[in-house]
């Protein structure tokens, strides 16, 4: 991902800043500012911007796009329910040589092609019940203005010069690689590479930021997560950074430079700017003032270097504050195999939703793997996990509790509630502690641990109901039966409210079944003042999670 500058640098009259100036005259003040804004990831109070990467439109969405979007959505919903002001951004990356080539192969103009593909990503977000506040496309005029403004600032500060490059280039990755990075003649990602002959290009002085980046990483150890990814980035930067080509002339599908229209911006200058162009940059009021620096960029591990090295350097070069945190998640395999078109095992998230349901898909992808690690998808694993945790444990708990209430308590929340026992108070205490524990896990993007907390409280409640046996108490102690049922309903109220970020549709069905008012479902309502109201009429219980059966083809595969 490093570009080789092969000829002597020369300044260009179109750029007024001298190319030899490597340090910003106000760097000390800027760096001090950056240190104060990015030392801690999140203060728990300020407005919260969270972003997916913008998805490249060369093909239709796959499981990786769904995974990133759901993770961001869980965090965004959690923050909103916590009372935070949130700006959740997603979108599509629509320029580049790969798009130009694909459009040509289909007999389409590039704009026509990206229009037809971008809508698939927007539709996927809607299908998955993703609550993004904005969807940006890099072909939009306001984004182009932001790219030009950012570049102008880098020029003004002396970080751009004209030169020539040549080297190995991967069209699929939209990235250059050095000879030492190639593995068996291919990019580290497995993509084919081609030798690009000497071509004029504008370069960004990335090498000037090596020490500044290392210093920033050291002062802000939480900037890159998980720690293993941070170590990779630090190690990469320590090996040395070379200047980066930021323009191309060999193809035309991109944003033209106003100083030199024969050049278009290299994809990463264009793409990364979306995080601020969506906030109105270069205007620095409004959304930009409210939300920048962003609280959290979530990306796949394959594009971490671009976000952890190029993006901070661009921002430093333009006198702009850096985002608070980058989190890189892992990749998915299918039945233990790498996912690829050639193997025919690509997982279409639309098909997953059709087969299993939206909330079931969201739950499995967040629950199955530690967020940050790689994960493996199989129909068997999904069906087993969803049936166990959702249908058998949560769904069955709701159904049997509410059926008993409906049948034995005049179709309403019990009114003859007696004093709570030690066991009652212990379970209620677990429910009351859930918000704080979940918030701690979400604050460090440990989404899988948040899911584990939710699964555990349901398991504890099932254990409680089995020990209390309210069906037996119906005959021996009706008041105690009513108390037990009330305790379970109150715990389920906490569960329903706290499950909304993960399984929003099902969680709200549970809250509807408990007759929790729609305006009492935020985390501020997880207080005894808003506990289940005795005597509230409840609807006839209906199942929330139907059990899933193994697809016929999966059963055949297992038997063969």
């Amino acid at each position: 991902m490093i570009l080789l500058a092969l000829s002597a640098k020369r300044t260009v009259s179109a750029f007024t800043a001298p190319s030899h100036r490597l340090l910003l005259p106000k760097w000390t003040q800027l760096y001090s500012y950056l240190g104060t804004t990015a030392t801690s990831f999140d203060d728990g109070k300020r407005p919260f911007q969270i972003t997916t990467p913008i998805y490249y439109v060369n093909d239709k969405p796959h499981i990786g796009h769904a995974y990133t979007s759901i993770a961001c959505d869980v965090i965004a919903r959690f923050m909103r329910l916590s009372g935070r002001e949130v700006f959740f951004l997603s979108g599509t990356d629509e320029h580049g040589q790969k798009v130009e080539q694909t459009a040509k192969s289909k007999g389409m103009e590039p704009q026509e092609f990206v229009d037809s593909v971008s809508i698939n990503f927007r539709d996927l977000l809607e299908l998955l019940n993703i609550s993004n506040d904005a969807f940006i496309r890099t072909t939009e005029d306001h984004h182009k203005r932001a790219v030009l403004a950012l570049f102008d600032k880098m020029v003004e500060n002396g970080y751009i010069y004209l030169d020539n490059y040549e080297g190995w280039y991967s069209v699929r990755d939209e990235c250059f690689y050095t000879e030492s990075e190639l593995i068996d003649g291919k990019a580290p990602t497995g993509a084919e590479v081609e030798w690009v002959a000497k071509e004029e290009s504008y370069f960004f002085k990335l090498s000037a930021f090596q020490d500044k980046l290392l210093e920033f990483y050291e002062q802000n150890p939480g900037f890159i997560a998980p720690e293993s990814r941070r170590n990779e980035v630090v190690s990469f930067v320590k090996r040395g950074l070379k200047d980066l080509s930021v323009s191309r002339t060999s193809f035309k599908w991109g944003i033209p430079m106003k100083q030199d229209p024969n050049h278009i911006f290299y994809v990463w200058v264009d793409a990364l700017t979306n995080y601020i162009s969506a906030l109105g940059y270069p205007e620095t009021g409004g959304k930009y003032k409210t939300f920048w620096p962003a609280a959290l960029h979530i990306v796949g591990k394959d594009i971490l270097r671009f976000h952890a090295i190029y993006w901070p350097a661009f921002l430093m070069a333009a006198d702009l504050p850096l985002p608070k945190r980058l989190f890189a998640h892992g990749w998915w395999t299918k039945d233990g195999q790498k996912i690829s078109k050639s193997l025919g095992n690509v997982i279409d998230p639309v098909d997953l939703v059709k087969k299993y349901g939206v909330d079931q898909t969201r739950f499995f992808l967040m629950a199955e793997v530690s967020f940050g690690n790689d994960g493996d998808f199989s129909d068997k694993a999904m069906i087993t996990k969803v049936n166990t945790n959702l249908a058998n444990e949560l769904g069955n708990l709701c159904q049997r509790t509410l059926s008993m209430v409906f049948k034995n308590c005049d179709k309403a929340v019990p009114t003859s509630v007696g004093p709570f026992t030690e066991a009652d108070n212990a379970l209620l205490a677990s429910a009351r502690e859930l918000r704080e524990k979940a918030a701690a896990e979400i604050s460090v993007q440990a989404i899988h641990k948040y899911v584990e907390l939710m699964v555990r409280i349901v398991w504890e409640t099932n254990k409680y109901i089995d020990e209390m046996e309210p069906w037996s108490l119906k005959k021996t102690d009706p008041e105690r039966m009513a108390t037990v049922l009330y305790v379970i309903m109150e715990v389920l109220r906490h569960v329903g409210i706290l499950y909304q970020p993960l399984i929003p549709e099902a969680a709200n069905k549970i809250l509807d079944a408990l007759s929790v008012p729609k305006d009492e479902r935020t985390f501020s309502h997880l207080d005894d003042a808003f506990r289940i109201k005795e005597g509230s009429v409840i609807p006839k219980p209906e199942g929330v999670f139907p059990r899933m059966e193994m697809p016929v083809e999966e059963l055949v595969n297992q038997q063969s």
Side-chain angles (χ1 to χ4, degrees):
M1 301 177 191
I2 302 298
L3 304 182
L4 304 178
L6 297 179
S7 63
K9 302 174 184 177
R10 64 186 191 276
T11 55
V12 184
S13 58
F15 298 93
T16 57
S19 66
H20 63 275
R21 182 162 60 89
L22 296 182
L23 296 178
L24 293 170
K26 51 189 174 183
W27 178 256
T28 303
Q29 300 95 305
L30 172 63
Y31 198 80
S32 174
Y33 172 64
L34 291 173
T36 60
T37 58
T39 298
S40 58
F41 160 55
D42 186 28
D43 63 6
K45 298 175 183 178
R46 71 180 294 271
F48 191 94
Q49 183 190 9
I50 182 171
T51 69
T52 71
I54 49 174
Y55 301 127
Y56 201 50
V57 295
N58 195 53
D59 209 340
K60 66 180 184 178
H62 54 66
I63 191 173
H65 302 119
Y67 185 57
T68 311
S69 298
I70 293 168
C72 288
D73 188 57
V74 170
I75 296 170
R77 286 176 181 270
F78 198 99
M79 294 301 177
R80 289 194 199 100
L81 288 165
S82 299
R84 301 284 291 277
E85 186 179 2
V86 172
F87 186 77
F88 172 15
L89 176 65
S90 190
T92 45
D93 178 8
E94 302 182 10
H95 289 129
Q97 186 175 6
K98 187 163 49 176
V99 166
E100 185 177 81
Q101 290 179 352
T102 304
K104 184 177 181 180
S105 71
K106 295 179 180 295
M108 302 170 71
E109 290 298 318
Q111 187 65 56
E112 178 188 9
F113 172 72
V114 297
D115 287 346
S116 68
V117 180
S118 178
I119 191 66
N120 295 332
F121 290 87
R122 191 188 293 266
D123 289 347
L124 177 65
L125 297 181
E126 184 175 349
L127 178 68
L128 294 170
N129 202 1
I130 305 298
S131 63
N132 56 299
D133 297 289
F135 186 93
I136 189 168
R137 299 180 59 188
T138 56
T139 49
E140 294 170 342
D141 287 342
H142 73 95
H143 173 75
K144 295 175 183 178
R145 287 193 295 271
V147 172
L148 293 172
L150 181 70
F151 188 70
D152 282 349
K153 194 65 178 176
M154 293 193 288
V155 169
E156 178 186 333
N157 287 330
Y159 289 107
I160 302 296
Y161 63 89
L162 187 64
D163 202 343
N164 294 301
Y165 72 76
E166 62 182 355
W168 293 106
Y169 186 72
S170 164
V171 175
R172 192 188 80 181
D173 295 348
E174 295 283 6
C175 183
F176 279 83
Y177 293 98
T178 62
E179 188 79 37
S180 63
E181 288 182 291
L182 301 185
I183 301 173
D184 296 328
K186 294 185 178 181
T189 61
E192 298 290 337
V193 295
E194 58 187 41
W195 182 260
V196 176
K198 188 177 293 186
E199 178 183 336
E200 186 178 78
S201 174
Y202 289 100
F203 278 76
F204 171 69
K205 293 179 180 177
L206 184 64
S207 59
F209 292 90
Q210 179 172 331
D211 292 340
K212 299 177 180 70
L213 286 169
L214 291 173
E215 184 180 355
F216 183 78
Y217 301 151
E218 183 177 354
Q219 292 188 0
N220 300 275
F223 177 64
I224 303 170
E227 186 176 0
S228 60
R229 303 297 173 207
R230 177 184 182 277
N231 294 339
E232 290 174 9
V233 170
V234 170
S235 176
F236 185 87
V237 174
K238 283 182 176 180
R239 291 200 296 270
L241 296 178
K242 296 185 182 298
D243 293 350
L244 177 71
S245 168
V246 293
S247 76
R248 300 294 303 277
T249 59
S250 56
F251 63 95
K252 297 300 181 184
W253 184 238
I255 301 173
M257 290 184 171
K258 64 183 179 183
Q259 296 92 342
D260 194 342
N262 289 325
H263 288 253
I264 61 167
F265 284 101
Y266 173 59
V267 63
W268 287 106
V269 175
D270 177 355
L272 291 165
T273 306
N274 92 90
Y275 300 126
I276 54 176
S277 68
L279 296 174
Y281 181 84
E283 296 298 324
T284 55
K287 285 189 175 69
Y288 179 90
K289 182 178 181 181
T290 300
F291 292 103
W292 193 260
L296 180 62
H297 293 323
I298 290 186
V299 300
K301 65 181 182 179
D302 55 323
I303 57 173
L304 175 61
R305 286 184 190 175
F306 303 111
H307 286 78
I309 300 173
Y310 297 178
W311 183 223
F314 292 162
L315 292 168
M316 288 176 177
D319 301 343
L320 296 175
L322 275 61
K324 298 273 188 170
R325 185 167 167 95
L326 307 171
F327 191 99
H329 64 71
W331 292 337
W332 283 86
T333 55
K334 175 74 162 64
D335 297 316
Q337 288 186 304
K338 181 180 178 181
I339 294 175
S340 71
K341 286 184 178 180
S342 60
L343 292 175
N345 64 350
V346 174
I347 303 172
D348 187 336
V350 176
D351 291 341
L352 285 185
V353 170
K354 287 179 180 177
K355 277 170 82 171
Y356 301 120
V358 175
D359 282 346
Q360 290 87 339
T361 299
R362 291 171 62 106
F363 179 85
F364 177 79
L365 292 181
M366 295 298 100
E368 178 66 5
V369 61
S370 296
F371 195 61
N373 293 347
D374 293 341
D376 186 64
F377 179 90
S378 72
D379 289 288
K380 180 180 179 182
M382 180 162 188
I383 290 171
T384 299
K385 196 164 201 69
V386 169
N387 278 346
T388 299
N389 296 146
L390 296 185
N392 295 352
E393 295 174 353
L394 178 57
N396 188 47
L397 174 64
C398 291
Q399 185 67 17
R400 61 176 174 165
T401 300
L402 294 174
S403 293
M404 284 196 69
V405 171
F406 191 83
K407 182 178 180 180
N408 300 299
C409 303
D410 297 325
K411 304 178 183 179
V413 178
T415 53
S416 55
V417 177
F420 293 151
T421 66
E422 184 178 344
D424 300 341
N425 283 321
L427 183 61
L428 289 168
S430 292
R432 295 185 188 109
E433 294 168 358
L434 198 55
R435 174 191 176 179
E436 186 175 344
K437 290 180 178 179
E441 302 299 357
I442 289 293
S443 72
V444 291
Q445 300 82 58
I447 300 175
H448 58 290
K449 291 186 178 180
Y450 156 58
V451 180
E452 289 171 5
L453 288 169
M454 301 307 299
V455 169
R456 188 179 305 133
I457 188 67
V458 172
W459 182 87
E460 288 178 15
T461 310
N462 274 306
K463 181 182 178 184
Y464 169 86
I465 195 174
D466 289 341
E467 290 175 346
M468 295 300 111
E469 297 184 347
W471 48 88
S472 299
L473 292 170
K474 175 184 175 182
K475 297 178 181 178
T476 61
D477 192 344
E479 183 179 281
R480 178 60 188 155
M481 175 201 72
T483 304
V484 168
L485 293 175
Y486 181 87
V487 168
I488 297 171
M489 292 183 76
E490 176 61 10
V491 173
L492 284 174
R493 183 179 75 90
H494 282 72
V495 168
I497 290 174
L498 281 159
Y499 245 141
Q500 288 177 100
L502 185 65
I503 46 174
E505 185 177 353
N508 279 283
K509 283 183 179 179
I510 292 170
L511 295 171
D512 289 343
L514 294 166
S515 291
V516 175
K518 292 189 183 296
D519 60 353
E520 294 184 6
R521 299 184 180 185
T522 72
F523 293 169
S524 65
H525 297 105
L526 292 170
D527 185 277
D528 282 350
F530 298 96
R531 69 183 193 178
I532 291 284
K533 294 176 177 59
E534 298 177 21
S536 297
V537 175
I538 66 169
K540 184 177 180 180
E542 296 180 357
V544 180
F545 294 107
R547 279 186 57 80
M548 299 192 300
E549 301 299 328
M550 190 75 72
V552 174
E553 61 269 22
E554 184 71 17
L555 290 171
V556 171
N557 290 338
Q558 289 183 21
Q559 293 169 1
S560 59

